[in-house]
Amino acid sequence: MTSRVAIGNKFLLIDLDGTLTDTADLALKPMKDGQVPTDVSQIRIFPEAISFLAEATHLGFNCIVVSDSHPKYVNPIVNEYFKEYCIASFSLADKPNTFKTLAFLQQQGIDITKDVCYVVGDSWLDIELGRGLKVPTVLTNFYEAREVEVRDGIGDYIKNIKSGSTYFACSYSEIVNILQNPLQNLLCIEAKFSNSISIKSRKPRLDDITAGKLTAHRVLARQSQGECDQYHATEKYFEFSRVDRRREILLTMRDAIAAYLDCVLADVSYSWHIFTYVPDKQTTQPANKMGELFNFVAEHFQQKQSNLDCYSIFEWNETVNSSTRKQPTSSDRKKFVEENLNLRGDVDVRDKNVIILDDQYTTGATADVLVKKLRIEGAKSVLFVALFHLITNVSSNRLCPVCSASSLNKLLQLKINKQTGEKFYSCVLPKYGGEGCGYSDSGKLCSVCLSKGTSRYMKVKTNSQTGEKFYSCVSPKYGGEGCGHTESIE
């Protein structure tokens, strides 16, 4: 497809197969791979795809198809059905590849650091591409896959959700609503920290209804590993887990959780009886981390004179000396919770519907065990609500300068200091789960070096006298290769 000049500075990078075209069928793979000629007559487009592109264009978005299929497949389809509304198409065989995507966008005169940009697609490939570009993403769910295709993520619901999209949409009208109201469509905790209001949650796993008993898992924010869009709440997760956390952060989270649960209770499909939480062990710091937040939320329901009973029903063994997070596998986590976290003996849950609040959702091991324990004691439906969903790791598009000098092309990972909340880029050492050399920087370029044509990243340093942190382009005098320029951290 011939590229056209973009109008305005809003861009929609949209996947083809499964997003604009109903082509998840594996029988089409030879065409997608360019092994046989593309017969456009065999390509089914979703009924509302063209009208969606027209509406997105009306909203000021320049639409660009970004597909992992062969150009011999992509271009004929785009030219046949979508050329009126798409300014360009790009075949990215090794999606997600931010290097190639950025180069393509630069060729189109697009600077995503200044322009408004979204990535829309139906699999983890699309979401990780968007996260690598650090732009908001929309995971679509327009079809039901008949079989799982590992590479493209077709049919793998859990993997696609865990990739950590900003938004989730089951229809084109929902995508349009997201483009028109981005803050109001965030997950509810993320919206609250963005000074907006939302009651949206995400299903990290599909609901299970067996014998009329519902088991539902929900997450209210994303804890990002690596690159992501600006809305993820990773910094809030780490602050929530620190001893010096602010009361303000608890109250903000309280308001988001209460708004979401008010919506749950308003749904007459289920009558919820007990609201409880996963307690912290006695050795956890800060002490009673979850209990303090739970009490704030419980006060909300007490003030509303709700019929929901709010109290603690679980307790850890006094002798437990490890944590769920330290268990290496999902089965190990299940075993740890099974052996150490118990339903209190004075609690009656028979024929009750229970809502459980927890801080983090990784694999759902804690949820599975607690649901099992509740069911053994006669509980009916269970809703497990986690504040943060630990999503998959996405490396940056920056090569480690130290490893590159040795011809080892290793990508830096965006990390966050758990104690201070500071972001930094790291070539992660093996002892921290990586394969790198340990190099790190702030991700901020030195303006002085840049003005002289050199791209050199600054480090975060601490003034030994005042404790104040600042950016430094570390000079050779202090073990660096920089010019010595410093800047304050706003």
Side-chain angles (χ1 to χ4, degrees):
M1 176 185 175
T2 302
S3 299
R4 300 201 306 272
V5 176
I7 300 174
N9 62 347
K10 297 199 294 186
F11 298 91
L12 205 61
L13 309 186
I14 186 164
D15 178 49
L16 182 65
D17 295 301
T19 307
L20 293 175
T21 58
D22 189 3
T23 46
D25 192 339
L26 295 182
L28 297 172
K29 187 169 176 57
M31 276 196 283
K32 295 179 182 180
D33 292 344
Q35 296 172 353
V36 299
T38 296
D39 182 355
V40 177
S41 66
Q42 293 187 37
I43 305 302
R44 301 182 304 273
I45 67 171
F46 286 115
E48 298 178 353
I50 294 176
S51 60
F52 161 69
L53 292 175
E55 191 158 4
T57 302
H58 178 71
L59 292 173
F61 284 90
N62 296 278
C63 300
I64 301 174
V65 170
V66 180
S67 172
D68 61 343
S69 295
H70 198 279
K72 293 180 181 179
Y73 171 83
V74 174
N75 292 337
I77 295 173
V78 174
N79 283 326
E80 177 69 22
Y81 296 114
F82 309 124
K83 64 180 179 181
E84 183 178 353
Y85 300 108
C86 293
I87 67 168
S89 60
F90 177 48
S91 292
L92 187 65
D94 54 350
K95 184 193 285 187
N97 186 321
T98 54
F99 288 105
K100 290 182 180 178
T101 305
L102 284 170
F104 168 77
L105 294 175
Q106 288 169 0
Q107 290 173 3
Q108 306 297 312
I110 300 169
D111 183 353
I112 60 172
T113 64
K114 299 177 181 178
D115 299 329
V116 175
C117 184
Y118 291 79
V119 172
V120 181
D122 67 312
S123 89
W124 66 272
L125 295 170
D126 306 296
I127 304 311
E128 292 199 5
L129 171 63
R131 286 181 56 195
L133 296 173
K134 295 186 277 192
V135 301
T137 55
V138 183
L139 178 64
T140 63
N141 187 29
F142 296 164
Y143 61 90
E144 185 173 344
R146 292 186 292 273
E147 51 192 324
V148 174
E149 206 289 314
V150 177
R151 161 63 188 167
D152 293 343
I154 294 174
D156 193 338
Y157 175 85
I158 292 178
K159 182 174 184 178
N160 287 334
I161 290 293
K162 194 170 176 61
S163 64
S165 66
T166 322
Y167 307 101
F168 184 79
C170 293
S171 68
Y172 290 119
S173 61
E174 290 182 8
I175 302 178
V176 170
N177 184 261
I178 288 166
L179 298 179
Q180 292 175 316
N181 306 287
L183 296 183
Q184 293 86 345
N185 281 283
L186 294 171
L187 291 169
C188 66
I189 287 180
E190 295 180 8
K192 196 64 181 177
F193 282 116
S194 298
N195 298 316
S196 186
I197 297 174
S198 169
I199 54 173
K200 289 188 178 294
S201 64
R202 186 76 43 83
K203 296 181 184 180
R205 189 186 301 179
L206 293 173
D207 294 350
D208 175 36
I209 302 178
T210 303
K213 297 179 179 180
L214 169 70
T215 302
H217 300 195
R218 298 291 187 272
V219 291
L220 308 184
R222 295 164 300 155
Q223 180 196 341
S224 168
Q225 297 192 92
E227 298 288 9
C228 202
D229 57 84
Q230 69 267 39
Y231 299 120
H232 70 94
T234 310
E235 297 96 329
K236 307 304 180 185
Y237 168 79
F238 286 126
E239 181 175 354
F240 174 71
S241 303
R242 295 204 305 263
V243 174
D244 63 344
R245 62 185 184 176
R246 296 166 295 155
R247 177 182 172 89
E248 177 188 352
I249 196 171
L250 295 179
L251 296 179
T252 302
M253 292 174 66
R254 184 271 316 270
D255 292 344
I257 297 164
Y260 169 71
L261 291 180
D262 281 342
C263 180
V264 169
L265 297 176
D267 184 352
V268 296
S269 302
Y270 293 90
S271 178
W272 299 98
H273 307 105
I274 298 174
F275 174 48
T276 191
Y277 68 103
V278 179
D280 294 294
K281 297 179 289 298
Q282 293 182 359
T283 55
T284 299
Q285 292 295 325
N288 198 29
K289 177 185 67 177
M290 279 299 296
E292 186 178 4
L293 176 62
F294 172 80
N295 289 336
F296 280 137
V297 181
E299 288 174 5
H300 166 80
F301 293 115
Q302 291 167 357
Q303 291 172 0
K304 293 186 64 174
Q305 297 183 332
S306 168
N307 293 325
L308 190 66
D309 290 329
C310 306
Y311 58 99
S312 174
I313 68 173
F314 299 108
E315 59 185 1
W316 288 96
N317 293 337
E318 293 183 359
T319 56
V320 63
N321 58 5
S322 186
S323 68
T324 311
R325 293 186 181 88
K326 292 182 179 179
Q327 311 311 308
T329 68
S330 179
S331 59
D332 291 329
R333 286 189 283 273
K334 285 184 178 180
K335 182 179 179 182
F336 178 80
V337 177
E338 181 77 45
E339 293 176 349
N340 293 290
L341 185 57
N342 306 302
L343 192 64
R344 289 172 47 180
D346 59 342
V347 172
D348 181 12
V349 296
R350 183 166 299 279
D351 295 326
K352 301 291 180 63
N353 294 332
V354 182
I355 300 174
I356 306 172
L357 187 68
D358 197 10
D359 61 343
Q360 186 190 62
Y361 192 102
T362 306
T363 64
T366 300
D368 289 338
V369 173
L370 296 187
V371 169
K372 178 182 175 182
K373 288 176 180 281
L374 288 170
R375 290 276 163 70
I376 289 173
E377 297 301 321
K380 294 174 67 177
S381 294
V382 181
L383 171 60
F384 188 91
V385 180
L387 307 177
F388 301 93
H389 187 200
L390 181 63
I391 57 180
T392 51
N393 183 42
V394 173
S395 295
S396 73
N397 51 29
R398 286 185 54 207
L399 291 169
C400 171
V402 176
C403 290
S404 295
S406 304
S407 300
L408 298 173
N409 293 329
K410 296 186 183 298
L411 293 173
L412 298 175
Q413 293 187 24
L414 177 65
K415 310 293 282 185
I416 295 180
N417 185 309
K418 296 179 181 180
Q419 303 304 315
T420 65
E422 294 168 0
K423 295 180 181 179
F424 64 98
Y425 285 88
S426 172
C427 189
V428 182
L429 288 165
K431 70 177 182 177
Y432 297 119
E435 299 177 348
C437 66
Y439 168 85
S440 67
D441 65 46
S442 66
K444 180 178 176 62
L445 285 166
C446 173
S447 58
V448 174
C449 290
L450 194 61
S451 68
K452 298 177 180 179
T454 301
S455 295
R456 186 170 284 121
Y457 289 89
M458 308 177 81
K459 291 181 177 289
V460 174
K461 294 293 186 178
T462 303
N463 186 309
S464 59
Q465 303 298 319
T466 66
E468 182 182 354
K469 296 184 182 299
F470 60 95
Y471 292 118
S472 173
C473 187
V474 183
S475 66
K477 178 181 178 181
Y478 297 105
E481 298 178 351
C483 67
H485 173 67
T486 62
E487 294 181 22
S488 62
I489 297 177
E490 295 181 1

